Amino acid sequence: MLLKIVIFFVLIAIYVIWHVVNLVQKRDSSYLLFSFIITCIPFQMSFPIYTPTYISVDGIGSFTGKIFLMLPLIASVALLLTQKNKNVTYWYKNERWVMWILLLIAISFINPFNVARWGTVAFAVTLISYILFFRLIYNKLNPLQILNGIFASFLLLCVLNFCLAILYPVLGVTFVTTIFQAGGDMWATRNGTRAGAIGVFVTPANLGLFSVIASGFFFACYLNGFKKKLSLMVLIVTGITIILTYSRTSYITLVVILITLFYIFKNAAKPLLSLKSFFLGVLPAAIVLYWLVFLSPFSATFLKTDANDMYQARLDHWTMGMDIFHRSPIIGVGINSHLEFVNRSPEMSKVIHNDFLTSNPIHNTHLIILAETGIVGFALWVIFILTTINRAKINVAQNVNTILSLSQIALIITYIIYGFTDWAPVSHSTFPIFLLFTFFFYKYSISTRSANVVVLSS
C-alpha cells in the first residue's frame, strides 16, 4: 500500500511538471487531469472501503471482489464542484450500451444464482465511477483535447512499459516485476516455465493486451497524420514490448489489427465481405500468421515450451464455463461471481479437482460473459460487437471521428481474439480502457456531434 502511495505521488509530480512546462511554452494543459486518471488505470489507484468474505481465496470472478473508492469518482466530485455545465443526469441515445450493462447489473442483483452480489457491486462501482468521470470530461473538453489526453497517457505508459520490459526480461533485473503489482515476479516467469515482460501490470497477458490496444490507437493516429512521427516511434516501441511479453495471443492479435486497420482505412466505403477484402485483407493476414506460427523465430513460442499444457488448461476451463452456463442458461450466475459459484456448488466442486480452475477466472472472456450473464448478456455482447464495427466503418468512410473509430475497431478485434484465450479483457486493470474508448467513440460518432468531430480526422 505504501509503495502505491509513493507511485501515486510520483505520477502527480510528473503531471505537475508537465503542466508547468505547458504553461511556460503557452500550451494547452486542460486535458492533463483526464490524462492523469487514464494513466492511473493500470496501477489500480483506489482506496479500499469494504472487503466482503468469500469462500474463494484468490478471486470470485474476473474483477476484484473488494469495494473501492475509485480515483475517477474522486475526480468527478472535484469536477462537479467546479464545473458549470455538469449535465450528468440526461441519457443520450449514444449511451445505450451503458444502459445495457446497467440492465445486466440489475438482473445480476436479483439473480437467485448469484452467490457473490458484492462482486457485482464492485463491478458496478467501477463502471459508474468511470462513466460519470467521462461524462463530466466530455462536457469540459473538446474532441482534440480528449484525443491529446489519451495520447499523452498512452505515450507515458508505453514508454514506461518498454523501459520495464528491457529491464526484465532482457537485462534480468527481477525486482522491477514487484514494484507495481504484488505477485508480479511469479507471473513474469509463468511459474518458472518461461520469462515475459509484465510492465506495470501483474501478468504478461495484461501487458500484451494493453500494448496491442495502444498499438491500434497509435497506428490510427499515424494513418491520419496526427503526430505522425511520434506515433510511429511509439508504435515501434510498443511492438518491441509486445515481443518481450512472449504472449502468443498478443502476437496474433497485433498482426490482425494492423492489417485490418490499414485495409479499412483504405477501403472503408467498400463492403467488408467481398473478394477484394479476402485477397487484400484475409489472405495476407493468414499468410503472415502462418509464417509467424510455423516459420518465424517465434514459432517455438507457439509449438514448444508450455503450449500444450496451456491449451489443455484452457480446454478444461472452457468445459467448466459451459457447465456453469448449463446451470443458469438464460441470465447466468451473476456478474463477477463465477468462481465463487463453482466453489459454493457441491456438484461442481466434486467434479473439479484442479486448483488452477477454481482459483483463476475462466480463460475465455466470451465464456465468462456467457456464464455470468447467460444468453441475455451474450446476445447483447454479440449485438454490441456487430453494431460497433459497422458504425466505426461508416465513420471512417465519412472521414468523421476516424482516429477513435479505427481505435475502436482495434479494441473490438482485440477483445474478440484475446477473449478466446484469456480473461484479461474483463480484468480490473484493463476493463476501464474498454470503457474509455467505447464512451468517446460513441460520443463523437457520425450520428452525434458530427460538426465537432472532423478535427479528430485531421
Side-chain angles (χ1 to χ4, degrees):
M1 183 64 182
L2 178 61
L3 186 57
K4 276 203 172 184
I5 294 174
V6 173
I7 295 169
F8 177 69
F9 281 104
V10 168
L11 287 175
I12 290 178
I14 291 172
Y15 273 90
V16 168
I17 295 172
W18 203 331
H19 175 66
V20 172
V21 171
N22 281 352
L23 286 179
V24 172
Q25 297 180 348
K26 296 182 179 180
R27 294 180 178 177
D28 180 31
S29 292
S30 57
Y31 61 86
L32 288 182
L33 172 63
F34 172 56
S35 178
F36 172 73
I37 298 298
I38 299 171
T39 303
C40 288
I41 290 175
F43 300 97
Q44 302 177 48
M45 297 292 184
S46 52
F47 303 92
I49 298 176
Y50 178 61
T51 304
T53 302
Y54 304 108
I55 293 178
S56 305
V57 177
D58 298 315
I60 59 171
S62 61
F63 245 66
T64 178
K66 300 178 181 179
I67 311 301
F68 290 97
L69 175 60
M70 308 293 296
L71 191 60
L73 186 58
I74 298 174
S76 296
V77 173
L79 289 173
L80 284 169
L81 294 175
T82 58
Q83 195 167 303
K84 292 181 180 180
N85 182 22
K86 300 176 177 62
N87 199 21
V88 294
T89 57
Y90 181 77
W91 285 99
Y92 301 90
K93 289 182 179 180
N94 52 34
E95 292 178 348
R96 286 176 180 169
W97 65 277
V98 179
M99 297 297 293
W100 292 358
I101 301 177
L102 291 176
L103 172 63
L104 294 175
I105 290 173
I107 293 173
S108 292
F109 278 130
I110 62 174
N111 188 342
F113 291 94
N114 191 346
V115 296
R117 285 184 173 83
W118 278 113
T120 304
V121 171
F123 176 84
V125 167
T126 301
L127 173 75
I128 293 170
S129 297
Y130 278 100
I131 294 301
L132 175 60
F133 176 69
F134 292 154
R135 288 189 115 208
L136 291 168
I137 288 295
Y138 171 74
N139 293 331
K140 181 180 177 65
L141 303 181
N142 63 43
L144 182 58
Q145 290 169 329
I146 294 292
L147 190 59
N148 279 326
I150 299 174
F151 194 100
S153 174
F154 275 44
L155 171 64
L156 179 60
L157 287 170
C158 288
V159 171
L160 177 57
N161 282 321
F162 172 75
C163 293
L164 292 170
I166 295 299
L167 288 171
Y168 186 86
V170 175
L171 299 180
V173 183
T174 56
F175 86 89
V176 298
T177 62
T178 57
I179 294 177
F180 301 101
Q181 304 289 349
D185 53 341
M186 179 187 69
W187 288 107
T189 61
R190 293 178 172 89
N191 291 319
T193 58
R194 56 194 171 97
I198 63 171
V200 301
F201 296 88
V202 72
T203 71
N206 288 76
L207 174 59
L209 173 66
F210 169 80
S211 298
V212 170
I213 294 172
S215 296
F217 171 72
F218 286 114
F219 190 48
C221 291
Y222 172 79
L223 290 174
N224 286 274
F226 182 80
K227 301 182 180 180
K228 191 170 184 177
K229 291 183 179 179
L230 183 56
S231 295
L232 180 60
M233 291 173 60
V234 183
L235 180 60
I236 294 171
V237 164
T238 307
I240 295 172
T241 303
I242 291 172
I243 292 173
L244 294 175
T245 64
Y246 298 103
S247 168
R248 294 173 281 255
T249 307
S250 298
Y251 295 169
I252 293 172
T253 310
L254 180 63
V255 170
V256 173
I257 67 165
L258 293 182
I259 293 176
T260 302
L261 292 193
F262 183 77
Y263 177 81
I264 291 179
F265 181 72
K266 294 294 185 179
N267 302 278
K270 299 174 183 177
L272 276 180
L273 300 178
S274 64
L275 284 176
K276 184 175 182 179
S277 66
F278 175 80
F279 284 108
L280 297 182
V282 177
L283 188 59
I287 293 172
V288 174
L289 289 176
Y290 179 85
W291 173 84
L292 177 67
V293 175
F294 295 102
L295 303 176
S296 75
F298 306 105
S299 61
T301 304
F302 292 91
L303 304 177
K304 297 179 181 179
T305 64
D306 61 342
N308 290 334
D309 293 337
M310 290 297 98
Y311 296 151
Q312 185 58 51
R314 280 165 171 77
L315 286 174
D316 292 339
H317 243 156
W318 299 348
T319 301
M320 185 181 82
M322 291 305 299
D323 194 3
I324 298 172
F325 165 69
H326 289 146
R327 294 170 189 273
S328 179
I330 305 300
I331 58 174
V333 296
I335 294 176
N336 191 30
S337 69
H338 72 272
L339 286 178
E340 185 72 1
F341 178 83
V342 170
N343 285 304
R344 290 199 184 194
S345 172
E347 297 84 1
M348 295 193 71
S349 59
K350 288 179 182 178
V351 177
I352 301 172
H353 299 288
N354 189 330
D355 291 338
F356 176 82
L357 299 181
T358 56
S359 60
N360 288 273
I362 297 171
H363 278 54
N364 187 313
T365 298
H366 310 294
L367 268 180
I368 289 176
I369 295 172
L370 183 64
E372 293 188 343
T373 62
I375 294 174
V376 173
F378 191 77
L380 291 176
W381 173 234
V382 173
I383 292 171
F384 170 81
I385 289 174
L386 296 177
T387 56
T388 300
I389 291 178
N390 181 61
R391 178 176 287 199
K393 181 177 174 293
I394 293 173
N395 284 347
V396 178
Q398 298 290 332
N399 195 31
V400 171
N401 192 24
T402 310
I403 292 177
L404 288 182
S405 295
L406 289 172
S407 299
Q408 185 69 11
I409 291 172
L411 176 78
I412 294 298
I413 292 174
T414 302
Y415 264 60
I416 291 172
I417 298 176
Y418 230 96
F420 280 111
T421 63
D422 208 274
W423 56 275
V426 284
S427 66
H428 200 206
S429 61
T430 51
F431 182 69
I433 295 172
F434 170 87
L435 297 178
L436 165 72
F437 280 106
T438 303
F439 182 88
F440 289 106
F441 159 71
Y442 269 101
K443 280 298 184 183
Y444 298 126
S445 282
I446 194 169
S447 62
T448 56
R449 295 166 57 178
S450 58
N452 292 330
V453 299
V454 177
V455 70
L456 292 181
S457 303
S458 62

